[in-house]
Amino acid sequence: MNAVSEALARAAVYRFASRLWTEPTAAQREELAALAGALAGDLGEFGSALVATADPDRATLYHAVLGPSGACRDCESDFHGSPLAGNGPLIADIAGFYRAFAYAPEDETAAAPDHVATELGFLGYLAMKQ
């Protein structure tokens, strides 16, 4: 496998992981199915199995588990928070990296600059740029 193929495969893995952390919708499920076909070997089989769980009817469960009201926090700043400055400096640093590399996430993964889906999308974007 050449360097370009490796970078594209890595980008597909990051994009797949990014989309897993977004709210389940029909569009998300379609994209996950397409990306699962691009994943190699066992990872592709595992990805295909995960696509079956990406049901838009599970949005309520998604919000019960993830996000501001969920049991599992999905933003980096939820674990960092400075008592004096709050989360602003961390979020500004992350957004600065995005601007430096001309990364502009699309709407469905742009929940916040420090959201796990946005950060994984950034890693996929960097793999594509490579």
Side-chain angles (χ1 to χ4, degrees):
M1 182 180 274
N2 64 30
V4 172
S5 296
E6 288 177 13
L8 290 174
R10 202 167 45 256
V13 170
Y14 283 128
R15 178 64 183 180
F16 186 85
S18 170
R19 293 299 282 146
L20 284 175
W21 284 92
T22 60
E23 182 177 349
T25 63
Q28 178 220 34
R29 186 177 184 151
E30 288 175 19
E31 185 176 357
L32 285 173
L35 287 166
L39 303 178
D42 291 340
L43 191 56
E45 292 176 25
F46 180 66
S48 295
L50 284 176
V51 169
T53 68
D55 185 356
D57 293 335
R58 294 187 176 174
T60 303
L61 178 61
Y62 169 84
H63 290 290
V65 175
L66 298 171
S69 61
C72 178
R73 309 306 288 200
D74 53 4
C75 288
E76 183 179 351
S77 62
D78 292 339
F79 300 98
H80 183 268
S82 167
L84 295 176
N87 297 331
L90 174 68
I91 293 172
D93 283 347
I94 294 169
F97 278 104
Y98 296 164
R99 280 191 305 277
F101 288 92
Y103 177 62
E106 66 275 2
D107 291 338
E108 71 266 11
T109 60
D114 65 329
H115 189 275
V116 66
T118 309
E119 290 180 338
L120 287 167
F122 179 59
L123 292 174
Y125 175 77
L126 291 178
M128 290 291 292
K129 285 185 73 92
Q130 184 182 21

PDB file of all heavy atoms in Angstrom, residues 16 20 24 28-30 32-33 36 45-58:
ATOM      1  N   PHE A  16     -15.260   7.871   9.751  1.00  0.00           N
ATOM      2  CA  PHE A  16     -16.219   6.899  10.269  1.00  0.00           C
ATOM      3  C   PHE A  16     -16.397   7.099  11.774  1.00  0.00           C
ATOM      4  O   PHE A  16     -17.510   7.186  12.282  1.00  0.00           O
ATOM      5  CB  PHE A  16     -15.738   5.472   9.969  1.00  0.00           C
ATOM      6  CG  PHE A  16     -16.734   4.411  10.333  1.00  0.00           C
ATOM      7  CD1 PHE A  16     -17.742   4.055   9.458  1.00  0.00           C
ATOM      8  CD2 PHE A  16     -16.664   3.767  11.559  1.00  0.00           C
ATOM      9  CE1 PHE A  16     -18.673   3.086   9.788  1.00  0.00           C
ATOM     10  CE2 PHE A  16     -17.584   2.793  11.904  1.00  0.00           C
ATOM     11  CZ  PHE A  16     -18.589   2.447  11.016  1.00  0.00           C
ATOM     12  N   LEU A  20     -19.762   8.396  14.019  1.00  0.00           N
ATOM     13  CA  LEU A  20     -20.358   7.596  15.083  1.00  0.00           C
ATOM     14  C   LEU A  20     -20.734   8.452  16.286  1.00  0.00           C
ATOM     15  O   LEU A  20     -21.621   8.092  17.053  1.00  0.00           O
ATOM     16  CB  LEU A  20     -19.390   6.494  15.534  1.00  0.00           C
ATOM     17  CG  LEU A  20     -19.249   5.299  14.607  1.00  0.00           C
ATOM     18  CD1 LEU A  20     -18.161   4.372  15.130  1.00  0.00           C
ATOM     19  CD2 LEU A  20     -20.559   4.547  14.455  1.00  0.00           C
ATOM     20  N   PRO A  24     -27.853  10.162  15.555  1.00  0.00           N
ATOM     21  CA  PRO A  24     -28.289   9.233  14.507  1.00  0.00           C
ATOM     22  C   PRO A  24     -29.358   9.853  13.596  1.00  0.00           C
ATOM     23  O   PRO A  24     -30.374  10.334  14.072  1.00  0.00           O
ATOM     24  CB  PRO A  24     -28.876   8.047  15.278  1.00  0.00           C
ATOM     25  CG  PRO A  24     -28.523   8.245  16.700  1.00  0.00           C
ATOM     26  CD  PRO A  24     -28.156   9.675  16.890  1.00  0.00           C
ATOM     27  N   GLN A  28     -26.676  10.108   8.330  1.00  0.00           N
ATOM     28  CA  GLN A  28     -25.528   9.548   9.036  1.00  0.00           C
ATOM     29  C   GLN A  28     -25.395   8.058   8.724  1.00  0.00           C
ATOM     30  O   GLN A  28     -24.317   7.563   8.456  1.00  0.00           O
ATOM     31  CB  GLN A  28     -25.676   9.758  10.549  1.00  0.00           C
ATOM     32  CG  GLN A  28     -24.529   9.155  11.345  1.00  0.00           C
ATOM     33  CD  GLN A  28     -24.966   8.487  12.625  1.00  0.00           C
ATOM     34  OE1 GLN A  28     -26.055   7.908  12.700  1.00  0.00           O
ATOM     35  NE2 GLN A  28     -24.119   8.550  13.625  1.00  0.00           N
ATOM     36  N   ARG A  29     -26.508   7.357   8.751  1.00  0.00           N
ATOM     37  CA  ARG A  29     -26.488   5.912   8.489  1.00  0.00           C
ATOM     38  C   ARG A  29     -25.994   5.620   7.068  1.00  0.00           C
ATOM     39  O   ARG A  29     -25.198   4.710   6.860  1.00  0.00           O
ATOM     40  CB  ARG A  29     -27.870   5.325   8.714  1.00  0.00           C
ATOM     41  CG  ARG A  29     -27.879   3.825   8.606  1.00  0.00           C
ATOM     42  CD  ARG A  29     -29.238   3.264   8.908  1.00  0.00           C
ATOM     43  NE  ARG A  29     -29.160   1.816   8.877  1.00  0.00           N
ATOM     44  CZ  ARG A  29     -29.920   1.035   9.575  1.00  0.00           C
ATOM     45  NH1 ARG A  29     -30.822   1.528  10.379  1.00  0.00           N
ATOM     46  NH2 ARG A  29     -29.800  -0.271   9.472  1.00  0.00           N
ATOM     47  N   GLU A  30     -26.439   6.404   6.094  1.00  0.00           N
ATOM     48  CA  GLU A  30     -25.991   6.213   4.711  1.00  0.00           C
ATOM     49  C   GLU A  30     -24.488   6.443   4.586  1.00  0.00           C
ATOM     50  O   GLU A  30     -23.787   5.680   3.925  1.00  0.00           O
ATOM     51  CB  GLU A  30     -26.740   7.163   3.779  1.00  0.00           C
ATOM     52  CG  GLU A  30     -28.187   6.808   3.560  1.00  0.00           C
ATOM     53  CD  GLU A  30     -28.917   7.848   2.728  1.00  0.00           C
ATOM     54  OE1 GLU A  30     -28.257   8.643   2.025  1.00  0.00           O
ATOM     55  OE2 GLU A  30     -30.159   7.858   2.790  1.00  0.00           O
ATOM     56  N   LEU A  32     -22.224   6.249   7.017  1.00  0.00           N
ATOM     57  CA  LEU A  32     -21.522   5.184   7.730  1.00  0.00           C
ATOM     58  C   LEU A  32     -21.456   3.913   6.889  1.00  0.00           C
ATOM     59  O   LEU A  32     -20.424   3.233   6.858  1.00  0.00           O
ATOM     60  CB  LEU A  32     -22.196   4.898   9.074  1.00  0.00           C
ATOM     61  CG  LEU A  32     -21.974   5.919  10.175  1.00  0.00           C
ATOM     62  CD1 LEU A  32     -22.846   5.590  11.385  1.00  0.00           C
ATOM     63  CD2 LEU A  32     -20.504   5.989  10.579  1.00  0.00           C
ATOM     64  N   ALA A  33     -22.548   3.590   6.205  1.00  0.00           N
ATOM     65  CA  ALA A  33     -22.560   2.394   5.351  1.00  0.00           C
ATOM     66  C   ALA A  33     -21.543   2.532   4.228  1.00  0.00           C
ATOM     67  O   ALA A  33     -20.814   1.579   3.921  1.00  0.00           O
ATOM     68  CB  ALA A  33     -23.957   2.165   4.794  1.00  0.00           C
ATOM     69  N   ALA A  36     -18.033   2.273   5.767  1.00  0.00           N
ATOM     70  CA  ALA A  36     -17.710   0.916   6.229  1.00  0.00           C
ATOM     71  C   ALA A  36     -17.126   0.096   5.095  1.00  0.00           C
ATOM     72  O   ALA A  36     -16.235  -0.729   5.307  1.00  0.00           O
ATOM     73  CB  ALA A  36     -18.947   0.242   6.804  1.00  0.00           C
ATOM     74  N   GLU A  45     -15.622  -5.101   8.717  1.00  0.00           N
ATOM     75  CA  GLU A  45     -16.698  -5.955   9.220  1.00  0.00           C
ATOM     76  C   GLU A  45     -17.306  -5.361  10.489  1.00  0.00           C
ATOM     77  O   GLU A  45     -18.524  -5.333  10.664  1.00  0.00           O
ATOM     78  CB  GLU A  45     -16.172  -7.362   9.502  1.00  0.00           C
ATOM     79  CG  GLU A  45     -15.780  -8.118   8.257  1.00  0.00           C
ATOM     80  CD  GLU A  45     -15.169  -9.466   8.577  1.00  0.00           C
ATOM     81  OE1 GLU A  45     -15.453 -10.020   9.661  1.00  0.00           O
ATOM     82  OE2 GLU A  45     -14.385  -9.965   7.747  1.00  0.00           O
ATOM     83  N   PHE A  46     -16.449  -4.860  11.368  1.00  0.00           N
ATOM     84  CA  PHE A  46     -16.918  -4.229  12.594  1.00  0.00           C
ATOM     85  C   PHE A  46     -17.715  -2.977  12.255  1.00  0.00           C
ATOM     86  O   PHE A  46     -18.773  -2.718  12.845  1.00  0.00           O
ATOM     87  CB  PHE A  46     -15.724  -3.887  13.488  1.00  0.00           C
ATOM     88  CG  PHE A  46     -16.093  -3.235  14.783  1.00  0.00           C
ATOM     89  CD1 PHE A  46     -16.800  -3.922  15.753  1.00  0.00           C
ATOM     90  CD2 PHE A  46     -15.737  -1.922  15.038  1.00  0.00           C
ATOM     91  CE1 PHE A  46     -17.147  -3.329  16.956  1.00  0.00           C
ATOM     92  CE2 PHE A  46     -16.078  -1.312  16.232  1.00  0.00           C
ATOM     93  CZ  PHE A  46     -16.780  -2.016  17.198  1.00  0.00           C
ATOM     94  N   GLY A  47     -17.229  -2.194  11.304  1.00  0.00           N
ATOM     95  CA  GLY A  47     -17.936  -0.989  10.872  1.00  0.00           C
ATOM     96  C   GLY A  47     -19.313  -1.312  10.319  1.00  0.00           C
ATOM     97  O   GLY A  47     -20.284  -0.618  10.611  1.00  0.00           O
ATOM     98  N   SER A  48     -19.394  -2.366   9.531  1.00  0.00           N
ATOM     99  CA  SER A  48     -20.688  -2.771   8.969  1.00  0.00           C
ATOM    100  C   SER A  48     -21.662  -3.169  10.075  1.00  0.00           C
ATOM    101  O   SER A  48     -22.855  -2.879  10.001  1.00  0.00           O
ATOM    102  CB  SER A  48     -20.501  -3.926   7.994  1.00  0.00           C
ATOM    103  OG  SER A  48     -19.753  -3.499   6.877  1.00  0.00           O
ATOM    104  N   ALA A  49     -21.152  -3.836  11.111  1.00  0.00           N
ATOM    105  CA  ALA A  49     -21.997  -4.214  12.245  1.00  0.00           C
ATOM    106  C   ALA A  49     -22.478  -2.969  12.993  1.00  0.00           C
ATOM    107  O   ALA A  49     -23.623  -2.918  13.456  1.00  0.00           O
ATOM    108  CB  ALA A  49     -21.235  -5.147  13.182  1.00  0.00           C
ATOM    109  N   LEU A  50     -21.623  -1.962  13.107  1.00  0.00           N
ATOM    110  CA  LEU A  50     -22.014  -0.730  13.789  1.00  0.00           C
ATOM    111  C   LEU A  50     -23.075   0.039  13.009  1.00  0.00           C
ATOM    112  O   LEU A  50     -23.919   0.725  13.610  1.00  0.00           O
ATOM    113  CB  LEU A  50     -20.804   0.167  14.019  1.00  0.00           C
ATOM    114  CG  LEU A  50     -19.867  -0.234  15.140  1.00  0.00           C
ATOM    115  CD1 LEU A  50     -18.664   0.692  15.174  1.00  0.00           C
ATOM    116  CD2 LEU A  50     -20.575  -0.234  16.476  1.00  0.00           C
ATOM    117  N   VAL A  51     -23.050  -0.052  11.695  1.00  0.00           N
ATOM    118  CA  VAL A  51     -24.026   0.661  10.868  1.00  0.00           C
ATOM    119  C   VAL A  51     -25.442   0.214  11.237  1.00  0.00           C
ATOM    120  O   VAL A  51     -26.370   1.023  11.256  1.00  0.00           O
ATOM    121  CB  VAL A  51     -23.749   0.440   9.366  1.00  0.00           C
ATOM    122  CG1 VAL A  51     -24.890   0.954   8.516  1.00  0.00           C
ATOM    123  CG2 VAL A  51     -22.449   1.115   8.975  1.00  0.00           C
ATOM    124  N   ALA A  52     -25.590  -1.055  11.576  1.00  0.00           N
ATOM    125  CA  ALA A  52     -26.910  -1.571  11.947  1.00  0.00           C
ATOM    126  C   ALA A  52     -27.458  -0.883  13.196  1.00  0.00           C
ATOM    127  O   ALA A  52     -28.668  -0.808  13.377  1.00  0.00           O
ATOM    128  CB  ALA A  52     -26.834  -3.075  12.170  1.00  0.00           C
ATOM    129  N   THR A  53     -26.576  -0.355  14.046  1.00  0.00           N
ATOM    130  CA  THR A  53     -27.026   0.308  15.275  1.00  0.00           C
ATOM    131  C   THR A  53     -27.324   1.792  15.053  1.00  0.00           C
ATOM    132  O   THR A  53     -27.865   2.440  15.934  1.00  0.00           O
ATOM    133  CB  THR A  53     -25.979   0.184  16.394  1.00  0.00           C
ATOM    134  OG1 THR A  53     -24.824   0.937  16.047  1.00  0.00           O
ATOM    135  CG2 THR A  53     -25.609  -1.265  16.640  1.00  0.00           C
ATOM    136  N   ALA A  54     -26.970   2.327  13.900  1.00  0.00           N
ATOM    137  CA  ALA A  54     -27.158   3.755  13.611  1.00  0.00           C
ATOM    138  C   ALA A  54     -28.586   3.996  13.128  1.00  0.00           C
ATOM    139  O   ALA A  54     -28.831   4.327  11.983  1.00  0.00           O
ATOM    140  CB  ALA A  54     -26.146   4.219  12.567  1.00  0.00           C
ATOM    141  N   ASP A  55     -29.519   3.839  14.026  1.00  0.00           N
ATOM    142  CA  ASP A  55     -30.929   3.968  13.712  1.00  0.00           C
ATOM    143  C   ASP A  55     -31.440   5.345  14.129  1.00  0.00           C
ATOM    144  O   ASP A  55     -31.311   5.729  15.289  1.00  0.00           O
ATOM    145  CB  ASP A  55     -31.693   2.876  14.461  1.00  0.00           C
ATOM    146  CG  ASP A  55     -33.163   2.819  14.116  1.00  0.00           C
ATOM    147  OD1 ASP A  55     -33.638   3.676  13.341  1.00  0.00           O
ATOM    148  OD2 ASP A  55     -33.832   1.911  14.625  1.00  0.00           O
ATOM    149  N   PRO A  56     -32.007   6.125  13.193  1.00  0.00           N
ATOM    150  CA  PRO A  56     -32.518   7.450  13.543  1.00  0.00           C
ATOM    151  C   PRO A  56     -33.529   7.434  14.696  1.00  0.00           C
ATOM    152  O   PRO A  56     -33.679   8.424  15.401  1.00  0.00           O
ATOM    153  CB  PRO A  56     -33.178   7.946  12.254  1.00  0.00           C
ATOM    154  CG  PRO A  56     -32.507   7.187  11.170  1.00  0.00           C
ATOM    155  CD  PRO A  56     -32.147   5.845  11.764  1.00  0.00           C
ATOM    156  N   ASP A  57     -34.181   6.309  14.908  1.00  0.00           N
ATOM    157  CA  ASP A  57     -35.146   6.205  16.006  1.00  0.00           C
ATOM    158  C   ASP A  57     -34.459   6.162  17.372  1.00  0.00           C
ATOM    159  O   ASP A  57     -35.125   6.230  18.398  1.00  0.00           O
ATOM    160  CB  ASP A  57     -36.024   4.957  15.839  1.00  0.00           C
ATOM    161  CG  ASP A  57     -36.923   5.062  14.623  1.00  0.00           C
ATOM    162  OD1 ASP A  57     -37.226   6.200  14.202  1.00  0.00           O
ATOM    163  OD2 ASP A  57     -37.317   4.010  14.090  1.00  0.00           O
ATOM    164  N   ARG A  58     -33.142   6.069  17.382  1.00  0.00           N
ATOM    165  CA  ARG A  58     -32.398   6.013  18.642  1.00  0.00           C
ATOM    166  C   ARG A  58     -31.843   7.376  19.053  1.00  0.00           C
ATOM    167  O   ARG A  58     -30.982   7.451  19.908  1.00  0.00           O
ATOM    168  CB  ARG A  58     -31.264   5.004  18.522  1.00  0.00           C
ATOM    169  CG  ARG A  58     -31.759   3.594  18.368  1.00  0.00           C
ATOM    170  CD  ARG A  58     -30.655   2.616  18.417  1.00  0.00           C
ATOM    171  NE  ARG A  58     -31.206   1.263  18.356  1.00  0.00           N
ATOM    172  CZ  ARG A  58     -30.488   0.196  18.267  1.00  0.00           C
ATOM    173  NH1 ARG A  58     -29.180   0.292  18.242  1.00  0.00           N
ATOM    174  NH2 ARG A  58     -31.045  -0.991  18.220  1.00  0.00           N
TER     175      ARG A  58
END
